[in-house]
Amino acid sequence: AGECVQQLILHYDPETDTVTTDIPFEQQSGKERVILYLRKKKINGQVTNFFEVMEQCKISARQCRNIQTALLATGVVKCDKYDNHKKIWEPQ
C-alpha cells in the first residue's frame, strides 16, 4: 500500500488561469507534470515537442511516448506538424 494524500490545497493564479497544488514537483506523476506543462503552453498560445516535454517534465522517452499515446487518445494534445525532425505537440 502506498501513501495517500488526505488533504489537497489548490492555488489559483488568475494571470495564467491555472491551478497548482502543494504537492512538490518530484511527487507528481509524470502524466500530471505533462498535463500541467501543456496547460501552461496552451494558456500562453505556445506549442512544444516530444524532447522539450521530456526535459521539462523530467520523464524518460518511454514514459513520454506512453503519456503521448494516452493524451492523443483523449484529445488533450494534437501531434501532426513538424519542426525539422521534431513532431510538434499542440495542446488542445
Side-chain angles (χ1 to χ4, degrees):
E3 290 186 29
C4 180
V5 176
Q6 294 189 6
Q7 184 176 15
L8 188 64
I9 300 170
L10 300 175
H11 303 279
Y12 175 70
D13 181 351
E15 285 186 26
T16 60
D17 197 33
T18 58
V19 176
T20 56
T21 68
D22 285 341
I23 297 175
F25 180 83
E26 302 79 32
Q27 292 181 11
Q28 295 172 6
S29 74
K31 188 173 182 179
E32 288 170 323
R33 286 184 246 159
V34 171
I35 290 171
L36 289 173
Y37 183 68
L38 291 174
R39 278 190 195 147
K40 289 177 190 173
K41 288 291 188 179
K42 182 178 179 180
I43 288 166
N44 294 321
Q46 299 172 323
V47 295
T48 188
N49 65 61
F50 183 88
F51 302 103
E52 187 176 277
V53 169
M54 224 173 54
E55 179 184 323
Q56 294 296 316
C57 298
K58 308 292 185 227
I59 57 176
S60 68
R62 181 179 181 187
Q63 190 176 14
C64 196
R65 276 192 297 277
N66 290 339
I67 292 169
Q68 178 186 21
T69 301
L71 296 181
L72 283 167
T74 57
V76 172
V77 70
K78 189 173 166 184
C79 303
D80 63 353
K81 299 175 188 171
Y82 286 87
D83 175 18
N84 280 333
H85 68 286
K86 297 176 184 175
K87 200 169 201 180
I88 300 298
W89 286 32
E90 186 179 347
Q92 298 298 301

